[in-house]
Amino acid sequence: MSKIIRTRKPSVLPYYAAALVFVVLCAVLPVYRLWALAAALAAAAAAFLAAKKVCPPRVVETEVPFHTGVEDVDAMLADIQQKLDTLHSLNESLPDPQLSAAMTRMEKAGRSIVEVVEANPAKAKQVRRFANYYLPDAVNVLQQSRQGVRGENAAAIRAEVEHNASSIATAFENQLDALYAAESMDLSADLTVLQNMLKGQGLSK
């Protein structure tokens, strides 16, 4: 996932050398005369070229999560990865095997989506709704169902989330399948249950 980006940054020393030579020559030559000014400029240029040969550019390495060449795609993939990491951490704390299995499916499909888009950034437009709405909503629902549900209805709400988690996982897998399809698929119907869950049972923020 993460990439090491290497960039070459030119040294500033050749510029300093050229400036120093020019200033010194300006102090000792009558630069108000054209020949003297030309000589000072020529010497400064020679100093710049000589210093450039002995002061090569620095290679700076920067680690970035993604480097597709498209800045907004990189940002989207990094955001998806962060939410999938949250999903993974939440899954590790769950005692319920059925819900955990569904969350594992969500994470697996989500990471595969990231891999596909990273390899082919042109497909990013197909997963915008997934990245901006469906995945964040799913993480929100799962977080609140495990952390924020209290009272007499807690068991019923948790049961509803656990039941619908499989449908959400299937929707994630359908999104992945859509990336391989010749035509984009309309996934809105697949995730109606997720949107309803956010509105009902006190799960929405």
Side-chain angles (χ1 to χ4, degrees), residues 116-136:
V116 171
V117 175
E118 183 181 18
N120 188 351
K123 291 182 177 289
K125 60 184 179 182
Q126 294 178 243
V127 301
R128 291 290 182 188
R129 291 181 67 188
F130 169 82
N132 295 334
Y133 299 103
Y134 298 147
L135 177 59

Side-chain angles (χ1 to χ4, degrees), residues 92-154:
E92 287 187 331
S93 67
L94 292 175
D96 182 86
Q98 183 176 351
L99 179 55
S100 179
M103 293 176 67
T104 298
R105 288 170 55 201
M106 293 179 211
E107 181 184 353
K108 181 179 179 181
R111 296 199 187 279
S112 295
I113 288 169
V114 168
E115 292 175 2
V116 171
V117 175
E118 183 181 18
N120 188 351
K123 291 182 177 289
K125 60 184 179 182
Q126 294 178 243
V127 301
R128 291 290 182 188
R129 291 181 67 188
F130 169 82
N132 295 334
Y133 299 103
Y134 298 147
L135 177 59
D137 286 352
V139 172
N140 179 38
V141 164
L142 291 162
Q143 282 181 317
Q144 293 194 48
S145 70
R146 307 311 297 181
Q147 301 171 5
V149 180
R150 298 290 185 272
E152 296 180 358
N153 294 327

Side-chain angles (χ1 to χ4, degrees), residues 31-166:
V31 290
Y32 53 87
R33 295 182 179 275
L34 184 59
W35 68 265
L37 178 60
L41 290 172
F48 177 85
L49 294 175
K52 195 172 183 180
K53 289 182 178 179
V54 298
C55 301
R58 291 186 303 119
V59 177
V60 178
E61 294 186 347
T62 306
E63 185 174 4
V64 295
F66 299 95
H67 186 60
T68 64
V70 185
E71 187 175 348
D72 64 331
V73 174
D74 292 341
M76 183 187 73
L77 292 177
D79 186 59
I80 292 175
Q81 180 171 263
Q82 184 271 326
K83 288 181 173 60
L84 291 172
D85 290 343
T86 300
L87 188 66
H88 180 82
S89 298
L90 183 60
N91 192 9
E92 287 187 331
S93 67
L94 292 175
D96 182 86
Q98 183 176 351
L99 179 55
S100 179
M103 293 176 67
T104 298
R105 288 170 55 201
M106 293 179 211
E107 181 184 353
K108 181 179 179 181
R111 296 199 187 279
S112 295
I113 288 169
V114 168
E115 292 175 2
V116 171
V117 175
E118 183 181 18
N120 188 351
K123 291 182 177 289
K125 60 184 179 182
Q126 294 178 243
V127 301
R128 291 290 182 188
R129 291 181 67 188
F130 169 82
N132 295 334
Y133 299 103
Y134 298 147
L135 177 59
D137 286 352
V139 172
N140 179 38
V141 164
L142 291 162
Q143 282 181 317
Q144 293 194 48
S145 70
R146 307 311 297 181
Q147 301 171 5
V149 180
R150 298 290 185 272
E152 296 180 358
N153 294 327
I157 295 174
R158 280 195 293 268
E160 181 183 0
V161 172
E162 290 165 6
H163 172 73
N164 289 319
S166 179

Side-chain angles (χ1 to χ4, degrees), residues 12-28 40 43-45 47-48:
V12 298
L13 292 179
Y15 297 95
Y16 289 151
L20 178 61
V21 169
F22 184 76
V23 169
V24 170
L25 290 180
C26 284
V28 299
F48 177 85

